[in-house]
């Protein structure tokens, strides 16, 4: 028996998946969640083989939820209409169900998942392309111990590279997230954020001072007194943005 | 277009009136000269030549205003033109009189004596004509600019409103259809009810004239269909409270004006919270308007401060501006965990 979890904020949307699932004797529904927070807890607790995942959900959407789980189960996305997400799906091998869907379409998605043997090789690429949703530009979702934090991007001071991770610095503390610098360089609003070094992206609104530091190199000081090196190649770009 | 054309006619009338004024002045001049006992020939030549020149020069001033309307009423070029025309009028009318009639010493003395007064009077006549023409032209220009701006704005908004309505919120539609899909399996009777709700709602949203005023009762009915559909979708998580103590059948509101506000409240209420959500809709009568408040819970700690009022609300602001010519009718308020949108709708 394979374990299945349904994550969707609409009860009726869950019930139709549940009734279609009843026709698959080899799949057992072990839990239902009505938002991403519950979803993470449920996934960590039950370690399912397959999840049905809605995209638009309260607080954090389906993609943001996936960023926060360590071991990805098999995923079948279910969504009504999401132009950003659908574009991402169409270019990938992973299956998604467009609401409303039929039992036949549902069965096909299950077959496809079985053939893939539970792997989601392209999920990461979907998340990367689908992530430019309007709401997400304004927040970063992180895991802080067992808690999930939503950080509005205007409260981010700077982002620092940290091996395979990044440190997202805010006034109170920093959070670690498994993402690349180039991802944030691409997705954060370029009016507010600028990459000034291979390892640093700063919030331009936090900048208080640029000073020369040792020979031929510069250093930025932020409102919280953090001192951040500026690479020679990005110094001219920074000067241009500040209108110097 | 019609009022502008009327304005042009009014200005041609203005020229006719000016000529009548100049003729009246000429008659006055004739009377004054007759009193001095000059020969009829002298008087007529003087009066007619002066009249011909004043009519010619006022026409030129009129034409100048039509084609070179200045921003300031009496700038240097305008004043110079007036002074030049006055000088030419006096000089040429005097020359004409000398050429066509035998002038007497008495006439020459009178001419010399009244020269300054005559000059001042002629300058004044030109200035007055110039002022009248300038003001007329100024009005025409203002009307033209205003009309152009209004037309452009109306056009832009018509396009925007149409596209907004045609957009038909596919997310809402497909999710509702998905609920119906589920209900046909779990609760067929409820499915039928939902199909009815959705059809009624769509009927109300298509084929509407965006600038039409409808009764608040009709608008609230439309909103209720929407919130009822959302309540089926979200089950016990969503509660919508209507506080309609006023008699709402007599109030007039722009059609579909509340829809985006409620949609926003439901969307932000449901997607910014994981708990149950209560949306409150309240109507209050004011002296010359009604005030409709819609509030929803929100989480101030996760919302960006920079986040605006949203696309839907901007379109309402524009629509209200066009329909009522007032820009402060839509307001939003954040209090603790409650976000309130307040729309004031003037009543005649």
């Amino acid at each position: 028996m394979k374990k299945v979890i349904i994550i969707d904020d609409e009860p009726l949307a869950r019930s139709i998946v549940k009734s279609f699932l009843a026709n698959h004797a080899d799949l057992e529904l072990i839990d239902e969640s009505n938002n991403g927070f519950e979803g993470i807890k449920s996934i960590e607790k039950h370690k399912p083989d397959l999840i049905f995942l809605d995209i638009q959900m309260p607080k954090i959407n389906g993609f943001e939820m996936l960023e926060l789980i360590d071991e990805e189960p098999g995923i079948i996305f279910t969504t009504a209409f999401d132009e950003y997400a659908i574009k991402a799906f169409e270019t990938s091998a992973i299956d998604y169900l467009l609401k409303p869907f039929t039992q036949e379409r549902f069965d096909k998605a299950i077959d496809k998942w079985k053939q893939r043997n539970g792997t989601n090789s392209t999920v990461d690429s979907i998340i990367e392309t689908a992530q430019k949703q309007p709401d997400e530009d304004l927040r970063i979702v992180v895991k802080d111990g067992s808690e999930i934090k939503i950080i509005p991007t205007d409260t981010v001071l700077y982002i620092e590279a940290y091996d395979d991770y990044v440190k997202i610095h805010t006034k109170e503390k920093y959070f670690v997230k498994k993402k690349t610098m180039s991802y944030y360089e691409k997705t954060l609003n370029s009016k507010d954020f600028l990459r000034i070094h291979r390892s640093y992206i700063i919030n331009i609104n936090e900048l208080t001072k640029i000073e020369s530091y040792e020979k031929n190199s510069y250093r930025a000081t932020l409102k919280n007194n953090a001192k951040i090196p500026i690479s020679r190649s990005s110094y001219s770009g920074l000067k241009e943005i500040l209108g110097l | 277009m019609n009022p502008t054309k009327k304005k042009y006619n009014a200005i041609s009338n203005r020229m006719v009136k000016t000529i009548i004024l100049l003729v009246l002045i000429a008659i006055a001049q004739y009377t004054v000269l007759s009193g001095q006992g000059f020969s009829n020939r002298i008087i007529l030549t003087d009066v007619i030549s002066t009249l011909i020149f004043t009519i010619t020069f006022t026409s030129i001033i009129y034409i100048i205003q039509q084609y070179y309307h200045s921003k300031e009423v009496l700038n240097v070029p305008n004043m110079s033109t007036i002074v030049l025309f006055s000088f030419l009028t006096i000089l040429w009318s005097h020359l004409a009189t000398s050429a066509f009639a035998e002038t007497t010493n008495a006439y020459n003395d009178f001419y010399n004596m009244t020269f300054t007064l005559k000059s001042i009077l002629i300058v004044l006549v030109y200035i007055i004509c110039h002022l009248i023409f300038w003001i007329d032209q100024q009005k025409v220009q203002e009307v033209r600019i205003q009309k152009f701006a209004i037309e452009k704005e109306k056009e832009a908004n018509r396009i925007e409103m149409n596209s907004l309505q045609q957009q038909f919120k596919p997310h809402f539609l497909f999710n509702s259809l998905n609920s119906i899909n589920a209900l046909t399996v779990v609760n067929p009777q409820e499915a039928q009810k939902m199909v009815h709700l959705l059809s009624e709602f769509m009927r109300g949203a298509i084929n509407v004239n965006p600038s039409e005023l409808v009764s608040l009762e009709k608008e609230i009915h439309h909103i209720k269909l929407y919130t009822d559909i959302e309540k089926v979708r979200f089950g016990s998580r969503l509660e919508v409270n209507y506080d309609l103590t006023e008699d709402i059948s007599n109030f007039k509101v722009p059609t579909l004006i509340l829809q985006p506000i409620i949609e926003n409240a439901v969307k932000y209420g449901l997607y910014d919270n994981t708990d149950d959500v209560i949306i409150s809709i309240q109507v209050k009568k004011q002296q010359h308007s009604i005030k409709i408040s819609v509030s929803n819970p929100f989480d101030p700690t996760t919302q960006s401060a920079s986040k605006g009022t949203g696309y839907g609300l901007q379109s309402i602001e524009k629509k209200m501006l066009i329909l009522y010519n007032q820009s402060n009718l839509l307001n939003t308020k954040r209090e603790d965990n409650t976000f309130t949108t307040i729309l004031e709708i003037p009543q005649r």
Side-chain angles (χ1 to χ4, degrees):
Chain A
M1 284 287 259
K2 297 278 189 188
K3 292 185 282 184
V4 179
I5 292 175
I6 304 170
I7 305 164
D8 196 313
D9 60 326
E10 294 185 34
L12 285 169
R14 291 196 301 270
S15 77
I16 189 76
V17 173
K18 201 158 49 172
S19 66
F20 287 164
L21 205 56
N23 297 319
H24 293 262
D26 54 338
L27 300 176
E28 184 195 6
L29 179 67
I30 44 164
D31 201 10
E32 291 177 44
S33 310
N34 58 15
N35 61 58
F37 298 140
E38 303 286 314
I40 293 169
K41 274 190 224 155
S42 181
I43 289 166
E44 280 170 358
K45 186 174 160 200
H46 299 289
K47 305 260 179 264
D49 301 291
L50 173 66
I51 59 173
F52 288 90
L53 180 61
D54 186 19
I55 294 166
Q56 202 182 15
M57 287 192 295
K59 287 293 204 189
I60 59 171
N61 66 37
F63 295 134
E64 288 169 323
M65 189 205 84
L66 287 178
E67 285 177 19
L68 301 174
I69 53 177
D70 302 321
E71 256 176 272
E72 248 168 37
I75 302 158
I76 294 175
F77 289 100
T78 60
T79 185
F81 180 89
D82 190 325
E83 50 190 315
Y84 306 96
I86 289 169
K87 235 184 229 153
F89 290 135
E90 276 166 355
T91 54
S92 78
I94 200 148
D95 209 6
Y96 62 99
L97 292 168
L98 268 187
K99 294 172 180 173
F101 45 86
T102 59
Q103 175 86 57
E104 287 75 31
R105 184 66 189 80
F106 179 88
D107 296 347
K108 231 169 101 184
I110 300 272
D111 287 345
K112 219 166 157 185
W113 168 70
K114 282 178 181 162
Q115 279 164 23
R116 270 205 327 267
N117 232 347
T119 56
N120 306 305
S121 51
T122 52
V123 166
D124 282 344
S125 78
I126 288 178
I127 293 171
E128 291 257 325
T129 23
Q131 193 124 91
K132 284 144 210 144
Q133 299 200 27
D135 268 9
E136 287 174 44
D137 283 352
L138 299 170
R139 63 181 189 223
I140 297 172
V141 180
V142 292
K143 219 166 157 185
D144 183 22
S146 62
E147 234 182 292
I148 288 156
K149 282 219 131 193
I150 298 168
I151 312 169
T153 53
D154 53 11
T155 65
V156 172
L157 307 179
Y158 64 101
I159 295 174
E160 183 186 359
Y162 187 60
D163 289 337
D164 288 347
Y165 295 79
V166 292
K167 279 183 184 171
I168 297 159
H169 292 261
T170 67
K171 241 175 223 140
E172 293 80 32
K173 57 189 286 191
Y174 68 82
F175 302 93
V176 178
K177 187 161 179 175
K178 197 173 167 127
K179 277 276 175 191
T180 61
M181 290 297 281
S182 66
Y183 171 76
Y184 284 116
E185 192 182 5
K186 254 194 305 196
T187 54
L188 286 170
N189 185 347
S190 60
K191 265 204 309 221
D192 297 321
F193 289 92
L194 183 71
R195 187 161 183 176
I196 59 166
H197 189 272
R198 194 167 43 88
S199 304
Y200 293 96
I201 294 171
I202 61 158
N203 185 338
I204 298 163
N205 307 312
E206 293 291 324
L207 189 65
T208 55
K209 199 160 75 176
I210 298 173
E211 56 192 347
S212 82
Y213 173 66
E214 292 176 349
K215 56 167 180 161
N216 251 343
S217 74
Y218 292 89
R219 185 167 81 163
T221 307
L222 302 188
K223 283 180 193 157
N224 72 338
N225 248 336
K227 308 238 186 290
I228 294 166
I230 302 171
S231 72
R232 217 169 306 161
S233 57
S234 49
Y235 178 66
S236 56
L238 180 63
K239 255 177 37 179
E240 198 175 305
I241 279 174
L242 296 173
L244 291 172
Chain B
M1 275 282 112
N2 260 340
T4 328
K5 211 170 173 186
K6 238 177 166 176
K7 208 87 208 177
Y8 278 125
N9 287 340
I11 284 182
S12 310
N13 285 342
R14 180 74 77 201
M15 199 56 225
V16 173
K17 281 179 189 159
T18 309
I19 291 171
I20 292 171
L21 175 77
L22 293 174
V23 170
L24 287 175
I25 291 170
I27 291 169
Q29 190 194 359
Y30 178 85
T31 321
V32 170
L33 290 175
S34 302
Q36 298 298 317
F38 302 127
S39 73
N40 249 350
R41 195 185 165 89
I42 291 179
I43 299 172
L44 280 176
T45 335
D46 190 341
V47 169
I48 290 170
S49 63
T50 309
L51 182 62
I52 289 170
F53 290 127
T54 48
I55 289 176
T56 312
F57 288 134
T58 43
S59 303
I60 294 174
I61 292 174
Y62 176 75
I63 291 164
I64 289 173
Q65 274 314 307
Q66 295 278 297
Y67 293 98
Y68 303 100
H69 178 71
S70 57
K71 275 201 181 116
E72 284 165 63
V73 63
L74 286 175
N75 58 7
V76 177
N78 284 340
M79 274 317 285
S80 319
T81 313
I82 288 169
V83 170
L84 175 71
F85 286 177
S86 306
F87 171 74
L88 289 178
T89 309
I90 294 162
L91 181 71
W92 287 350
S93 66
H94 186 64
L95 286 177
T97 314
S98 312
F100 291 108
E102 257 169 59
T103 52
T104 58
N105 278 343
Y107 171 78
N108 283 335
D109 286 347
F110 183 76
Y111 175 83
N112 289 336
M113 201 175 77
T114 56
F115 178 80
T116 319
L117 182 69
K118 195 177 174 181
S119 309
I120 291 171
L121 283 174
I122 287 173
V123 169
L124 271 179
V125 167
Y126 284 146
I127 286 181
I128 289 166
C129 290
H130 170 78
L131 278 179
I132 293 168
F133 298 154
W134 188 89
I135 289 166
D136 280 350
Q137 195 58 27
Q138 186 71 7
K139 279 184 195 154
V140 169
Q141 299 252 323
E142 270 167 20
V143 168
R144 207 182 286 160
I145 289 167
Q146 235 172 33
K147 275 199 88 80
F148 182 72
I150 290 171
E151 278 302 314
K152 228 176 127 178
E153 171 111 20
K154 268 190 181 165
E155 189 54 40
N157 281 291
R158 204 173 297 137
I159 291 166
E160 192 172 347
M161 272 192 240
N162 283 345
S163 67
L164 271 177
Q165 270 158 6
Q166 277 162 14
Q167 212 178 12
F168 216 97
K169 309 297 177 300
H171 199 266
F172 165 77
L173 182 61
F174 290 121
N175 272 314
S176 302
L177 289 172
N178 192 51
S179 300
I180 294 170
N181 196 28
L183 285 169
T184 54
V185 179
V186 298
N187 189 346
Q189 227 169 356
E190 193 69 18
Q192 204 177 23
K193 233 171 86 185
M194 183 76 162
V195 169
H196 170 76
L197 282 174
L198 190 60
S199 321
E200 277 291 287
F201 174 77
M202 286 176 71
R203 229 192 299 281
I206 52 176
N207 288 333
V208 291
N209 172 3
S211 52
E212 193 190 358
L213 293 182
V214 297
S215 75
L216 180 58
E217 201 177 12
K218 191 178 170 194
E219 184 70 7
I220 293 283
H221 174 71
H222 186 71
I223 295 308
K224 272 192 174 143
L225 290 170
Y226 178 79
T227 54
D228 283 351
I229 293 167
E230 293 293 73
K231 273 160 80 175
V232 173
R233 279 179 57 196
F234 293 98
S236 56
R237 253 198 88 204
L238 177 66
E239 196 182 314
V240 184
N241 287 337
Y242 286 89
D243 177 3
L244 308 170
T245 44
E246 311 282 348
D247 175 19
I248 57 169
S249 57
N250 289 327
F251 301 131
K252 291 279 181 218
V253 301
T255 185
L256 301 184
I257 195 87
L258 297 180
Q259 170 70 25
I261 300 179
I262 311 289
E263 224 173 87
N264 247 29
V266 170
K267 188 177 145 201
Y268 286 106
L270 285 170
Y271 290 109
D272 204 25
N273 287 284
T274 50
D275 306 330
D276 291 355
V277 169
I278 299 174
I279 310 281
S280 304
I281 301 164
Q282 190 189 46
V283 178
K284 256 198 180 148
K285 192 180 181 327
Q286 311 274 95
Q287 206 174 2
H288 299 292
S289 64
I290 49 169
K291 210 176 215 178
I292 301 169
S293 315
V294 179
S295 52
N296 64 272
F298 87 110
D299 184 348
T301 61
T302 58
Q303 287 293 322
S304 253
S306 60
K307 199 161 187 169
T309 45
Y311 188 54
L313 295 190
Q314 275 168 26
S315 77
I316 295 181
E317 214 158 27
K318 267 192 191 163
K319 195 170 171 178
M320 294 302 283
L321 182 67
I322 302 168
L323 292 174
Y324 298 99
N325 218 359
Q326 260 177 275
S327 60
N328 52 351
L329 295 171
L330 182 73
N331 290 291
T332 55
K333 195 167 71 180
R334 290 156 185 252
E335 264 173 351
D336 300 328
N337 297 327
T338 308
F339 185 88
T340 309
T341 310
I342 303 152
L343 181 68
E344 201 182 327
I345 305 175
Q347 300 293 310
R348 273 151 214 162

